[in-house]
Amino acid sequence: MSMKLLILGLLLERDMHPYEITLVMKERTMDQFIKLQMGSLYYAVDKLAEGSHIEAVEVIRSTDRPDKTIYRITDKGKELMEQLILQQIKKSDQLHHPLYMALALSRYIDQEKVERLLEERIRETEHQVNFAYQVYEEHISIVPRSALHLMYGRYEHCLTELKWLKRLHEDVVARRMSDKGSPIIP
Amino acid sequence: MSMKLLILGLLLERDMHPYEITLVMKERTMDQFIKLQMGSLYYAVDKLAEGSHIEAVEVIRSTDRPDKTIYRITDKGKELMEQLILQQIKKSDQLHHPLYMALALSRYIDQEKVERLLEERIRETEHQVNFAYQVYEEHISIVPRSALHLMYGRYEHCLTELKWLKRLHEDVVARRMSDKGSPIIP
DNA sequence: GCCACCCTATTCAAATTTGAATATAATAAG
DNA sequence: CTTATTATATTCAAATTTGAATAGGGTGGC
């Protein structure tokens, strides 16, 4: 659903062909907020076209490349966009963090391995925190606040995650994951 | 994948039938960390059984109810579990927050509506923060630290989300979402 | 005493996502 | 000059998720 929303949002600015959408997404670091899978993108575009929420404006043919089909958002599409936005805000979809599950069970397996991987994750997350902050800073005077909130929010979420990972790592190193009784000290 | 991991983890403790797994999940508030969809659960159980990662121990037949098939984890299943845990820790899967997308586009639609919905979300998130903290506190002396980290982590993530939502709400109320140039003050 | 709703337990079709395959051009590196 | 990588553009089968259907039993309220 959020792929559809994204497509509608970008077509609002100007007409584009699917591949162009991916370029704009990367340019704006939107691929951090939504998983960019080409398959899903083309699928979503087809579905939107089927429902007349977008329509083909032009097909650029070329002998050596696949044809480019340029799409435009319709009025029906604009309505759908409003619906989707409101729907997404409404459903208080828990953050289903895939790591949570793995970590809960990690005490059953080789702690050395868990330790190494966690260290890797911590390093990666540190990079993400820095990158997210940089992206935020660079965009302060460029994008509207709505977009800026995403960037700052992403930074904060990453930071929260980093702190969490570090606490986990400490306990794995101390071989304490199976202990009971003591509270977490942040 | 995390559904498979969950099933293997619970079967490690004792043999169970699929429906029983859902009960244990709810009991332990695991349904907060992973989306509990009956369809996916039964699908994952079937796949695990196909790959001999789990096996049926017993089928309890009954005239008035569907049969219950009780499963047990195999040695192959234990190996898979280790693999899955390590794999999940490894892939630094960005948190793809569905709200991010919606919020980025919300400035195009009726701000009154966005305001109301955000207020609802804030209320809900406040409840979640409280609930998460309560769950954490109640489990301090009951569960191993690995599980406790999840609970405390969940609390912190919810709190981060709450602060973010409140800042968004402020800006929506002030009709500032389309403004540019000023930094986010946390 | 009956109506509405929740619990037990599973299945299924339809929607969606994943991951890889396809083909060619341009650019860079050695 | 040749080879490797990156960019252009889309498609597809297979895996997975979703959301609803099924179906009988128990329970609490009016």
Side-chain angles (χ1 to χ4, degrees):
Chain A
M1 275 310 108
S2 47
M3 182 58 91
K4 284 189 184 169
L5 190 46
L6 172 75
I7 294 166
L8 293 171
L10 291 182
L11 288 183
L12 210 57
E13 292 177 25
R14 66 183 157 92
D15 301 348
M16 282 186 236
H17 57 95
Y19 187 71
E20 206 177 344
I21 292 178
T22 66
L23 297 182
V24 175
M25 276 183 70
K26 282 180 200 156
E27 215 181 84
R28 309 205 185 161
T29 68
M30 278 172 166
D31 50 340
Q32 283 183 37
F33 306 122
I34 187 173
K35 201 181 300 188
L36 175 51
Q37 288 282 97
M38 300 310 259
S40 317
L41 174 71
Y42 282 89
Y43 176 77
V45 166
D46 284 354
K47 285 289 137 179
L48 285 171
E50 266 176 40
S52 321
H53 299 110
I54 63 177
E55 60 191 11
V57 191
E58 198 191 348
V59 179
I60 297 175
R61 284 180 213 291
S62 156
T63 40
D64 48 347
R65 297 279 179 81
D67 300 347
K68 285 186 282 203
T69 306
I70 296 178
Y71 291 93
R72 153 170 57 206
I73 188 168
T74 63
D75 287 340
K76 208 178 156 197
K78 287 178 195 169
E79 275 168 41
L80 178 63
M81 191 177 125
E82 167 145 357
Q83 271 180 55
L84 288 179
I85 292 173
L86 295 175
Q87 198 193 91
Q88 293 272 35
I89 300 179
K90 197 164 203 162
K91 72 167 160 184
S92 119
D93 209 15
Q94 306 274 23
L95 302 130
H96 296 296
H97 198 309
L99 244 196
Y100 280 155
M101 206 61 251
L103 262 304
L105 297 168
S106 68
R107 70 196 185 93
Y108 292 123
I109 71 169
D110 184 357
Q111 297 294 288
E112 287 280 355
K113 289 186 191 167
V114 176
E115 212 179 304
R116 296 293 148 258
L117 280 176
L118 271 179
E119 280 158 19
E120 243 179 76
R121 277 299 302 262
I122 287 173
R123 268 197 302 282
E124 277 169 41
T125 310
E126 269 164 357
H127 288 145
Q128 276 176 34
V129 168
N130 292 332
F131 181 67
Y133 193 76
Q134 215 182 304
V135 168
Y136 159 69
E137 273 206 317
E138 281 167 9
H139 285 81
I140 291 178
S141 36
I142 301 169
V143 301
R145 284 180 75 78
S146 62
L148 206 54
H149 275 295
L150 302 199
M151 294 169 182
Y152 196 79
R154 168 132 195 92
Y155 160 67
E156 283 189 323
H157 270 292
C158 279
L159 201 57
T160 305
E161 172 105 347
L162 179 61
K163 286 185 201 156
W164 181 66
L165 286 171
K166 284 185 173 170
R167 288 199 308 263
L168 286 172
H169 182 255
E170 247 180 69
D171 268 12
V172 173
V173 169
R175 301 288 184 270
R176 267 207 304 247
M177 287 303 248
S178 293
D179 289 7
K180 282 182 196 180
S182 41
I184 308 289
I185 317 278
Chain B
M1 274 311 110
S2 50
M3 182 57 91
K4 282 188 185 170
L5 190 47
L6 172 77
I7 293 166
L8 293 171
L10 291 181
L11 288 184
L12 209 58
E13 293 177 26
R14 66 182 157 89
D15 302 347
M16 281 186 236
H17 56 94
Y19 186 72
E20 206 178 344
I21 292 178
T22 65
L23 297 182
V24 175
M25 278 181 69
K26 281 180 202 156
E27 215 181 85
R28 309 205 185 159
T29 67
M30 280 172 165
D31 49 340
Q32 283 183 38
F33 306 121
I34 186 173
K35 203 182 297 186
L36 175 51
Q37 288 280 95
M38 299 311 257
S40 318
L41 174 71
Y42 282 90
Y43 176 77
V45 166
D46 284 354
K47 285 289 138 180
L48 285 172
E50 264 174 42
S52 319
H53 299 111
I54 62 176
E55 60 191 11
V57 191
E58 197 191 347
V59 180
I60 297 174
R61 284 179 211 293
S62 156
T63 40
D64 47 346
R65 297 279 179 83
D67 300 346
K68 284 187 283 203
T69 305
I70 296 178
Y71 290 94
R72 152 170 59 206
I73 188 169
T74 63
D75 287 340
K76 208 178 155 197
K78 287 177 192 168
E79 275 167 43
L80 177 64
M81 193 176 122
E82 168 145 357
Q83 271 179 55
L84 289 179
I85 292 173
L86 295 175
Q87 196 192 92
Q88 292 271 33
I89 300 179
K90 196 163 201 162
K91 71 167 163 187
S92 118
D93 209 16
Q94 307 273 24
L95 303 133
H96 296 296
H97 199 309
L99 242 195
Y100 279 154
M101 205 62 251
L103 261 303
L105 298 167
S106 68
R107 71 197 182 94
Y108 293 123
I109 71 170
D110 183 357
Q111 297 293 291
E112 287 279 354
K113 287 186 192 168
V114 176
E115 210 179 305
R116 297 293 148 257
L117 280 177
L118 271 179
E119 280 158 19
E120 242 177 75
R121 277 299 302 263
I122 288 173
R123 268 197 302 281
E124 277 169 41
T125 309
E126 269 164 356
H127 288 144
Q128 277 176 34
V129 168
N130 292 333
F131 181 66
Y133 193 77
Q134 217 181 302
V135 168
Y136 160 69
E137 274 207 315
E138 281 167 9
H139 285 81
I140 291 177
S141 36
I142 301 170
V143 301
R145 282 179 77 78
S146 63
L148 206 54
H149 275 295
L150 303 197
M151 294 168 182
Y152 195 79
R154 169 133 195 91
Y155 159 68
E156 282 189 324
H157 270 293
C158 279
L159 201 57
T160 304
E161 172 107 348
L162 180 60
K163 285 184 202 157
W164 181 66
L165 286 171
K166 283 184 173 170
R167 287 199 307 264
L168 287 172
H169 182 254
E170 248 180 67
D171 268 13
V172 172
V173 169
R175 300 287 183 272
R176 268 207 303 247
M177 286 303 248
S178 293
D179 289 9
K180 282 184 197 178
S182 41
I184 306 290
I185 317 277

